[in-house]
Amino acid sequence: MTRRDRDILHAVGRMGQATTDQIQRLYFGDRSTASRRLAKLVALRMLDVHVPNLSSPNVYTLGKAGLDMLLRLGADRQELHVSRVRRHLDEHLRALNDLRVGLVVATRARMDVSVEAFHGDLDLRRAAGAPPPAYLPDAVVELVTTAGPMVLIVEIDLGFETRGVFAKKVDATVALWTAGLPCCGAAAGTWRPAVFVLSEGRARSLAAVIERRGGGPLWLVAELQRVLATGALAPVLATAEEVSATPRGVPLPYRWALAPRT
């Protein structure tokens, strides 16, 4: 077992489940090397591998031997997750972890920004207990930039949620922001909500909802595939207000970056 092996196990435990591509982007230069090493960890029962269906990538979860080893090394059990893998891949968790990996990889090439913590929905739901709070986002990302701390309140939208349900999330954030209150533990003035969608059409649809509920200048909007292709710290975001004001047929003004280069 190498230090990289232990890092892989901890990363998979934090994510709940991870695909071959996600692990490769974090720890390997090429897919074949990643696949060989992952096969070794599976053989040692450090990881469990799942194939939901023939059109889905391999999915890895923390194995019992891997969990036991991490705990012996002092890992916090509350920070580790073993998410169930069913017949169909959990696309929402996959998208959330794609964003997580994209942020980590992007900050490695920068000295002026770092990801201090990424609290995914598995963390947030575990910490919230029962009953959960009125508003629980998909992730809370703590960034540190040269301009100071920034906390991103993340919503991952795959197009299945109704606009009415999404509007309640907007209402919750607008009420907190207007009152100058913290959100999900983030101090007032440091947090900003952002929704990551799969298409321009969905970006326009949700931006219209946000604008109507008074969150146009507050909320950020981004297309997830653009973020992953261009880089998570590149200018890949726009305010909902800007998206709503952009006529059909005109490209959306993605010009905001989470951490502009200084």
Side-chain angles (χ1 to χ4, degrees), residues 89-111:
L89 185 63
D90 186 338
E91 294 292 351
H92 189 273
L93 184 55
R94 180 186 183 182
L96 184 62
N97 283 332
D98 277 341
L99 178 63
R100 183 200 299 257
V101 171
L103 281 168
V104 171
V105 171
T107 55
R108 286 177 179 172
R110 298 274 295 270
M111 299 294 293

Side-chain angles (χ1 to χ4, degrees), residues 66-226:
L67 176 60
D68 290 343
M69 189 188 76
L70 290 177
L71 295 179
R72 287 197 305 272
L73 293 173
D76 185 349
R77 180 65 181 88
Q78 288 298 109
E79 293 187 350
L80 302 175
H81 307 278
V82 182
S83 180
R84 291 187 63 186
V85 179
R86 304 179 186 276
R87 292 181 59 188
H88 298 285
L89 185 63
D90 186 338
E91 294 292 351
H92 189 273
L93 184 55
R94 180 186 183 182
L96 184 62
N97 283 332
D98 277 341
L99 178 63
R100 183 200 299 257
V101 171
L103 281 168
V104 171
V105 171
T107 55
R108 286 177 179 172
R110 298 274 295 270
M111 299 294 293
D112 59 336
V113 58
S114 63
V115 178
E116 290 296 293
F118 191 109
H119 308 285
D121 61 350
L122 296 175
D123 299 310
L124 298 176
R125 282 190 270 120
R126 176 178 285 177
Y135 175 58
L136 199 65
D138 291 326
V140 175
V141 185
E142 300 176 24
L143 300 170
V144 174
T145 73
T146 53
M150 177 184 181
V151 179
L152 199 65
I153 308 299
V154 173
E155 291 291 341
I156 298 290
D157 181 87
L158 301 186
F160 303 119
E161 190 172 68
T162 67
R163 286 181 290 182
V165 171
F166 182 74
K168 294 179 181 178
K169 299 178 179 181
V170 177
D171 291 343
T173 58
V174 170
L176 292 172
W177 186 266
T178 303
L181 296 174
C183 181
C184 301
T190 67
W191 58 272
R192 193 85 182 264
V195 60
F196 294 83
V197 300
L198 298 186
S199 68
E200 177 182 322
R202 187 64 171 175
R204 290 180 181 275
S205 176
L206 294 188
V209 174
I210 296 168
E211 182 74 6
R212 286 196 298 270
R213 312 301 287 200
L218 172 64
W219 275 73
L220 298 172
V221 179
E223 294 175 42
L224 184 59
Q225 292 308 313
R226 178 188 291 267

Side-chain angles (χ1 to χ4, degrees), residues 9 12-13 46-48 60-64 66-67 70 80-82:
L9 297 180
V12 173
M46 296 289 172
L47 291 176
D48 293 332
Y60 296 87
T61 56
L62 195 56
K64 185 179 185 306
L67 176 60
L70 290 177
L80 302 175
H81 307 278
V82 182

